[in-house]
Amino acid sequence: NAGVTQTPKFQVLKTGQSMTLQCAQDMNHNSMYWYRQDPGMGLRLIYYSASEGTTDKGEVPNGYNVSRLNKREFSLRLESAAPSQTSVYFCAAHRDTSYEQYFGPGTRLTVT
Amino acid sequence: GDSVTQMEGPVTLSEEAFLTINCTYTATGYPSLFWYVQYPGEGLQLLLKATKADDKGSNKGFEATYRKETTSFHLEKGSVQVSDSAVYFCALVNTGFQKLVFGTGTRLLVSP
């Protein structure tokens, strides 16, 4: 039981390049989330998915797209990376019977 | 909207000292309150929670009491260890919603 897994762990992109961050959970939870963590700003919600086939914008969705491929997987795509997207990205899955969230180990992204 | 305010860090303590990290919140209704901990290089882990007024959450020697009259959820530990060095996040989720609202985090540094 791995919980929430994320790939890659580290990535360096040049401005304008695209990439997809992958997230998978094996806990059979319906809801999944993407956050970014920046110094002094805590965690900010980018997108979330309450169930397979649905996605909704969070606090900072601009420059990102998401895809809830199935119940297990929730990917985050940067179509044209910008230096302002340099951050640590966390995926989380939400336990349906309570308000607890379980986090992946994070992806550290640098855009130069 | 809902918000969480935490004391700024870093908080620097010697081993076996008493710890308090302040957290206050603004929310409508009756939110559930959480403390998450992030160890270096890792994702967030749920440390403790409280779902209604006067509840006390506890785990690993840490405690926090849900005080509705002061809208606070301060984290305490009687005797910290070097291994407690981490970033601590206070968070809330409001009834009927699935989105966590995080504070900005407080870094704790414990020296031997």
Side-chain angles (χ1 to χ4, degrees):
Chain A
N1 187 343
V4 179
T5 58
Q6 293 183 236
T7 55
K9 289 190 186 301
F10 302 94
Q11 183 71 49
V12 179
L13 293 178
K14 295 187 187 303
T15 297
Q17 287 185 318
S18 63
M19 79 161 294
T20 300
L21 282 65
Q22 306 287 354
C23 173
Q25 52 108 356
D26 61 3
M27 298 176 288
N28 203 37
H29 294 336
N30 281 317
S31 301
M32 297 184 72
Y33 304 78
W34 276 105
Y35 296 90
R36 58 177 291 173
Q37 183 180 25
D38 301 293
M41 304 193 73
L43 274 76
R44 293 182 291 170
L45 182 64
I46 305 171
Y47 270 93
Y48 68 102
S49 169
S51 62
E52 183 181 348
T54 68
T55 61
D56 285 288
K57 295 179 181 179
E59 184 183 353
V60 288
N62 291 344
Y64 305 95
N65 285 301
V66 290
S67 178
R68 183 74 183 269
L69 305 169
N70 47 54
K71 193 170 187 179
R72 287 190 65 247
E73 299 171 292
F74 188 37
S75 61
L76 178 71
R77 182 160 179 83
L78 287 69
E79 291 290 352
S80 179
S84 61
Q85 294 178 305
T86 293
S87 187
V88 182
Y89 291 86
F90 289 100
C91 177
H94 170 236
R95 185 174 175 183
D96 296 334
T97 55
S98 74
Y99 293 112
E100 298 173 35
Q101 291 192 12
Y102 297 88
F103 285 78
T107 295
R108 185 174 295 275
L109 174 67
T110 302
V111 183
T112 61
Chain B
D2 298 345
S3 66
V4 175
T5 302
Q6 288 182 239
M7 62 188 291
E8 291 200 19
V11 174
T12 304
L13 295 172
S14 297
E15 207 165 26
E16 299 184 3
F18 184 85
L19 168 71
T20 301
I21 299 178
N22 291 337
C23 170
T24 58
Y25 67 90
T26 301
T28 56
Y30 302 94
S32 294
L33 303 175
F34 304 85
W35 278 100
Y36 281 82
V37 59
Q38 184 181 30
Y39 298 104
E42 298 184 10
L44 279 70
Q45 304 172 25
L46 179 65
L47 180 60
L48 54 84
K49 67 176 181 179
T51 57
K52 61 182 188 297
D54 300 325
D55 267 2
K56 177 184 282 188
S58 62
N59 186 24
K60 300 182 181 180
F62 291 90
E63 293 183 340
T65 301
Y66 188 165
R67 302 284 188 201
K68 189 163 177 63
E69 64 275 13
T70 54
T71 61
S72 65
F73 192 54
H74 304 322
L75 183 68
E76 296 181 336
K77 187 175 185 182
S79 176
V80 293
Q81 306 300 311
V82 173
S83 57
D84 293 328
S85 297
V87 181
Y88 293 82
F89 291 91
C90 186
L92 68 82
V93 64
N94 224 325
T95 305
F97 297 92
Q98 293 181 323
K99 291 182 283 184
L100 278 169
V101 176
F102 285 92
T104 54
T106 302
R107 183 176 299 277
L108 171 65
L109 301 171
V110 181
S111 57

